[in-house]
Amino acid sequence: MFHCGKFQFDLSRPLVMGIVNVTPDSFSDGGHHMTTADAVAHARQLIDDGADILDIGGESTRPGAATVNEQEELDRVLHVIEGLRGISVPISIDTYKPGVMRAALAAGASMVNDINALQAEGALAVVAGSDAAVCLMHKQGKPETMQQRPEYQNVTDEVSAFLRERMAVAEAAGIARKRIVIDPGFGFGKTLGHNLDLLRGLAAFGALGVPVLSGVSRKSMLGAITGREVSDRMAASVAAALLAVQRGASIVRVHDVRETVDALKIWNALSEG
Ligand code: 7PJ
């Protein structure tokens, strides 16, 4: 069982987390869901499309993206969370700022998706003091510079060791294991080779004993392989999500919810036999 605030998932089938960007500069759909009303409408569409969780973010963390201050981030996400009150699926807040986590959880979010794995001062305590789930993600470096010179001896071992350590810290802080998911952080301080190694070896992360989340949707690794622009990576994204599930991912974080849900229905039908 995976506990996510008042929601619970038995993980008998993979879950689809739909991405709702409330940012003017997010790389793949920047500018398209900027206003509160548009973001709320987009989120509702993703629920209709079959999303199991919505991931709402107010600061782009794509390589080279500018940071936004806490007040601006709060202004972007809180109205959207409030506008989604009463929906049938949990809301995840995509932030590394403890103040944004706290306000989002108070407004009704059930999960914290932290690319910084709760390393910011005060972040552990915010999640520990709630009943929310948390996604602990690995990255190397900071989004501004992380793609300049990523380096690993063995990327899967190093990412795995980091996530094991952050899980231990989170559990020691009072966050029950049933509330934790881990994520190798595709594209966060990784070359194409590193990303492929991580996806090839994704099953190894299952040994850590918590659900694995995979986020490859529309990312540049798919562009590097297919030669497609970000607006034209849906097929590659669906394929990559399915292959991550095949390697043990329990949650896939995607833009194209409807198409991913269809692909996973085929996966589910075959798994049941
Ligand atoms: C990820 C994320 C990811 C988790 C982003 C993008 C860049 N959170 N937030 N995992 N990526 N947990 O969507 O391409 O891979 S922002």
Side-chain angles (χ1 to χ4, degrees):
M1 278 289 178
F2 168 48
H3 286 242
C4 195
K6 64 178 179 178
F7 298 87
Q8 287 188 27
F9 295 101
D10 67 10
L11 303 179
S12 57
R13 61 173 184 86
L15 302 177
V16 174
M17 171 186 264
I19 301 170
V20 181
N21 285 317
V22 199
T23 56
D25 61 349
S26 189
F27 86 102
S28 60
D29 55 4
H32 293 221
H33 305 294
M34 273 178 59
T35 67
T36 303
D38 285 352
V40 168
H42 180 63
R44 291 189 184 281
Q45 181 63 53
L46 296 186
I47 298 171
D48 285 348
D49 289 345
D52 298 292
I53 304 172
L54 295 177
D55 190 39
I56 298 180
E59 175 178 337
S60 171
T61 48
R62 78 189 156 88
T67 59
V68 299
N69 73 39
E70 181 163 325
Q71 192 54 51
E72 169 70 18
E73 191 177 337
L74 281 169
D75 286 344
R76 292 177 184 178
V77 297
L78 280 185
H79 299 296
V80 176
I81 295 172
E82 285 157 7
L84 291 170
R85 191 149 289 158
I87 58 170
S88 56
V89 304
I91 289 175
S92 158
I93 176 72
D94 184 349
T95 189
Y96 56 85
K97 297 189 184 80
V100 177
M101 294 174 191
R102 192 184 305 106
L105 294 173
S110 301
M111 177 169 179
V112 169
N113 173 24
D114 186 1
I115 64 158
N116 199 33
L118 302 182
Q119 293 178 102
E121 178 85 46
L124 281 164
V126 171
V127 176
S130 75
D131 60 356
V134 63
C135 178
L136 302 171
M137 197 196 82
H138 174 273
K139 64 174 165 49
Q140 185 179 91
K142 294 185 193 326
E144 300 92 294
T145 53
M146 65 190 176
Q147 290 306 103
Q148 284 171 11
R149 239 163 63 83
E151 253 185 70
Y152 302 84
Q153 297 298 318
N154 179 315
V155 67
T156 303
D157 287 353
E158 288 171 43
V159 169
S160 183
F162 170 84
L163 293 174
R164 193 185 298 277
E165 160 72 11
R166 294 312 299 167
M167 276 179 64
V169 170
E171 288 192 76
I175 303 170
R177 183 170 281 229
K178 65 189 179 189
R179 294 163 57 196
I180 300 175
V181 309
I182 53 170
D183 179 347
F186 290 102
F188 284 84
K190 281 115 187 163
T191 64
L192 174 60
H194 296 142
N195 288 317
L196 290 173
D197 282 348
L198 285 170
L199 189 49
R200 264 185 215 109
L202 197 68
F205 294 97
L208 275 68
V210 298
V212 174
L213 187 152
S214 167
V216 290
S217 185
R218 300 185 187 173
K219 282 187 178 171
S220 68
M221 61 183 285
L222 304 181
I225 297 167
T226 60
R228 303 282 187 202
E229 290 305 315
V230 66
S231 57
D232 205 12
R233 294 179 190 160
M234 188 208 291
S237 298
V238 172
L242 191 60
L243 292 166
V245 165
Q246 186 181 46
R247 286 159 176 75
S250 295
I251 308 175
V252 289
R253 179 181 178 277
V254 306
H255 299 88
D256 302 297
V257 168
R258 181 185 150 105
E259 293 78 8
T260 307
V261 165
D262 273 5
L264 291 177
K265 280 182 178 167
I266 309 302
W267 166 267
N268 290 333
L270 285 170
S271 305
E272 278 158 17

